[in-house]
Structures are given as structure tokens and as C-alpha cells.
Amino acid sequence: MGELDLDLILVGGFRSRDHYEHYVSNDYIEGAVIFPRGEAPMTVAWGATRIFRAEDSFARGAVRWIDQYVTGLDGAAVAGRIKDLSPRGRIGVVGLETQTAGEFSGFIPARFWIDLTENLPGREIVDISWKFNEMMLPKSEEELALVRWAADAAEAASQAMLDTVAPGVPETEIYAAVLATLVRRGCGMRYPTLILNSGSPSLAWGPPRWTTTAEPVRRIAEQDLVMAEIFPTFGNAEVQVQMSIAVGKPEPTIAQCAAVARASYEAGLSVLRAGITFSELVHAMEEPLREADCWALTPLVHSLNPQAFLGFTRVNDQDAAPVAPLPGPAPRNLPQLTGSELVLPAGATLAFEPNACIGRTRVVSGGTVIVTDTGYEEINSLPCRMQTTHA
């Protein structure tokens, strides 16, 4: 706050994917934290039920980081709180500039923002989301313990998926096996809970459509490729794994894409250490795609905790023919490398998720990696290469 000459910070949580308010409150109540310079912070909830839930935890011995919990999460009410705590000076806001999945225009509600700014006339308000993101990257040993727990749960969920996938099995059984494994280990799930797609070839990526459209559940068939992105959290620390399973012997194009994705993963590890830039890491990971004439649909790597810095590549994007005919522009900031000059600190957590595409065939694999001073710590293994149901 001193560096940016801020008198107060408003850390938005709302329904954000990364639950930013948790970083300063050790709590997520779908609200916000008001943090005045030199004074105690305040957590603002949208309803009393969220406060009662927190108080029940404190009564059972949970550590309280912030003493004052209040209701009133509309913009005018928060503006009133800000004026009481900080009648003048610059205000920093977290939540306007984001670009994670589904949050290309931030996550602060428009009505909240209109009411907030109308009730703070003359106050200078600056977005500090990127500075806040960068500050969050290095994790303490306590935070890394939570990350490793979530990674162990992700490994178990990946094994449960591998044990479940077989011809004739409905996607619902796979979905249930993965989520049950995570829940039994006390984990939550980040948006969008679980990505699961089956069939081949396919560029589809997202939650199964039967979760929202009531369409028939697909059953696994021979020669399918079953892919999932799993997002467990423990204590708000997230890991991501990309589990791909070939049902039976993979056909040659799938095998080639899988080999390139694994080569990209290894290329990233070969250069990873604290002190390199994010762009150096991405450029190393894109070389195997360049050599194999593959392209990538989604980032090769991105930061976690928060998921803010995205390692897209444009290598061989002239071969992305299936995407080219789609109408309309890509969302703002996508697909492009962001945070290219970011210097990776020790303790940062990264989702290695190299994906290789040939035509409409795509394979993605990978897991979570912790950056260290001398290199890295791999905390996932099973999902870091494509698996098969039998040789």
C-alpha cells in the first residue's frame, strides 16, 4: 500500500474463481474485504448466514484472522464503510482486471461498481489486480502443505478415473468417481467443478453437456479418448491435473499428440527454476509443438493460486483450421501470452498442461509443479502423461 500510495484496498471476492478475499481473511464468504492502511480490516458479507457459518467455525476453534464481519455488500453500503474508514486518499481495488476462465471482464458486479463509484465522488480509484496477483504467487511452507494435500487428492482422483473408464461405462460414473474421491479427502472444487469429455477426435472442452442440457449421457466406447481437468482445493489452495485416457490401443494421431504433449511437459521442466521469466518457460514448452507441426488450443502452462498468468502459444496457429471459421473475435486478452516478463519466484505454483493438436485431435496431460530456487518439485505424476486402459 505504501509502494502504490494507497489509503485503502478493497479486495473483491464475490463469486470470483480464485476467492481473492481469502488471501487476506482466511475465509471465503462470497463478499469482500475492506483493508484500510494502518487499521484493522473488515470482512463484508452479502448475508447474515455467511457470518453465522463463520462464527460456528470460530466457536469450534478455527483461527479468526479478521475480527469484524459485517453485512451489506451493495456498492452504496460499501462506499459508506470506506468513507468511515478512509475519508480521503487513493483506493486500490482487486477484481476489475482479470482474465481467468469465465472472468475475462473481471468479477466485480456492474451494479455494485456503479453504486460504489457514484457514492465516492472525487475519490481516485485504481485497479491493482495484477499487482495483487503477483504478490500472491510465492507461497509459504504452510500454504504449500495445503497444495500438496490437494495434489495427493488429485492423484487419487486420477487413479479412480483410470479404474472406472471402460467400454460401456457412462460418463456419470466417471464423474461421480472423481468427485467422490476428492470430497472424501475434504477437498472442494474450483469452477467449473470438473471438465470431462469423451470421444475422438474432439476439441470439446468443458463440463459434460448433460450437466446443463439434460441430453443423454454418453457411454464410453472402444478407441475413445477420455479427458478430464480436475480442480481440487484444500484450504483454498488449488491444484490442477489433466487426465487423458485412451481406451484400448490409441490410434496413431492420438499417440503422436500424446508424445508431443509429454515432450512439452519435459521441456518446461528442463528450464524451470526461480528467476526465469514466464515467457522463457512458455517458449521452451512450445518447441516440441513447433518441431512436430502441432498447435495448441489452450495454455501450455499457467499460474495457480491465483490462475492469472496464462501461457498461450501461437506456434503453428496457421494449422488451427477448426477454430478459424468460428465467428467473432476471441475474448479480450485471449489467446495470448500474459505476464511474459513476470519473473517466477520460488514457491509459485504452476499448472503444467501442455496440449497438442493435429486437426481436430487433441491430447492434454499434466499436473501441478512448485517452483524452487534450484528447479522444481513435481507433486503429480499419473496425469502427466496419457494413460491407456490396456496395452
Side-chain angles (χ1 to χ4, degrees):
M1 295 173 78
E3 176 189 344
L4 299 178
D5 189 27
L6 299 174
D7 195 55
L8 178 144
I9 292 177
L10 175 65
V11 183
F14 300 96
R15 298 295 177 88
S16 61
R17 187 187 181 281
D18 273 283
H19 303 178
Y20 283 91
E21 68 182 274
H22 186 280
Y23 186 73
V24 291
S25 69
N26 196 37
D27 202 351
Y28 176 58
I29 58 172
E30 302 161 31
V33 171
I34 302 172
F35 209 128
R37 187 172 179 175
E39 297 184 42
M42 171 190 299
T43 295
V44 187
W46 60 262
T49 56
R50 296 301 186 265
I51 297 177
F52 294 148
R53 186 182 64 168
E55 289 178 344
D56 286 349
S57 290
F58 301 147
R60 292 191 293 267
V63 176
R64 179 194 289 266
W65 283 20
I66 293 179
D67 288 332
Q68 193 170 9
Y69 280 61
V70 300
T71 58
L73 194 60
D74 64 89
V78 170
R81 298 280 185 185
I82 288 174
K83 286 187 283 189
D84 289 342
L85 294 168
S86 166
R88 62 187 61 85
R90 280 166 37 107
I91 300 168
V93 175
V94 177
L96 287 178
E97 287 287 336
T98 65
Q99 61 175 33
T100 192
E103 292 176 2
F104 309 123
S105 300
F107 54 77
I108 293 179
R111 184 73 258 169
F112 175 93
W113 185 248
I114 291 169
D115 290 343
L116 178 79
T117 54
E118 285 182 350
N119 284 274
L120 291 171
R123 295 293 291 272
E124 184 181 4
I125 303 176
V126 294
D127 182 83
I128 61 167
S129 298
W130 289 106
K131 280 284 190 180
F132 201 87
N133 283 328
E134 193 169 339
M135 180 184 71
M136 288 176 64
L137 284 177
K139 300 303 175 189
S140 67
E141 280 304 313
E142 290 87 350
E143 290 173 298
L144 291 178
L146 302 176
V147 170
R148 293 185 185 103
W149 181 283
D152 286 343
E155 284 290 310
S158 298
Q159 184 64 58
M161 178 177 169
L162 183 58
D163 292 342
T164 306
V165 168
V169 173
E171 286 184 351
T172 46
E173 289 300 312
I174 304 166
Y175 196 95
V178 169
L179 294 193
T181 302
L182 298 178
V183 170
R184 289 190 179 108
R185 284 161 174 76
C187 289
M189 277 69 69
R190 278 280 196 261
Y191 167 86
T193 306
L194 176 63
I195 288 175
L196 176 65
N197 299 117
S198 65
S200 182
S202 176
L203 296 175
W205 203 235
R209 282 182 55 83
W210 48 259
T211 62
T212 54
T213 62
E215 62 188 62
V217 174
R218 189 177 184 278
R219 291 182 178 270
I220 306 306
E222 286 284 358
Q223 301 302 302
D224 265 359
L225 182 62
V226 186
M227 296 194 293
E229 186 168 12
I230 306 171
F231 312 92
T233 63
F234 188 70
N236 203 48
E238 180 187 6
V239 303
Q240 290 185 12
V241 299
Q242 315 287 326
M243 188 66 178
S244 291
I245 303 171
V247 182
K249 184 178 179 180
E251 62 95 13
T253 304
I254 290 177
Q256 182 180 354
C257 289
V260 174
R262 177 63 193 184
S264 175
Y265 179 90
E266 293 175 351
L269 292 184
S270 73
V271 302
L272 183 60
R273 57 177 171 77
I276 70 167
T277 63
F278 190 51
S279 60
E280 288 179 282
L281 174 60
V282 175
H283 293 330
M285 296 183 71
E286 68 188 9
E287 276 307 304
L289 280 75
R290 189 190 312 276
E291 295 170 4
D293 291 327
C294 292
W295 61 282
L297 180 65
T298 50
L300 302 178
V301 59
H302 62 73
S303 64
L304 281 173
N305 306 301
Q307 180 178 300
F309 302 95
L310 307 180
F312 281 97
T313 177
R314 304 301 295 269
V315 164
N316 297 322
D317 64 354
Q318 73 277 2
D319 296 325
V323 177
L326 297 179
R332 185 168 60 91
N333 294 328
L334 297 178
Q336 57 183 289
L337 172 63
T338 57
S340 59
E341 299 309 310
L342 171 73
V343 177
L344 293 174
T349 51
L350 301 176
F352 268 49
E353 50 184 49
N355 61 111
C357 305
I358 298 175
R360 294 186 66 87
T361 297
R362 173 177 180 263
V363 176
V364 58
S365 57
T368 300
V369 180
I370 299 171
V371 182
T372 69
D373 285 318
T374 57
Y376 57 87
E377 177 188 347
E378 288 181 277
I379 54 175
N380 293 113
S381 58
L382 182 64
C384 296
R385 64 177 76 243
M386 186 181 73
Q387 304 294 321
T388 59
T389 54
H390 56 75

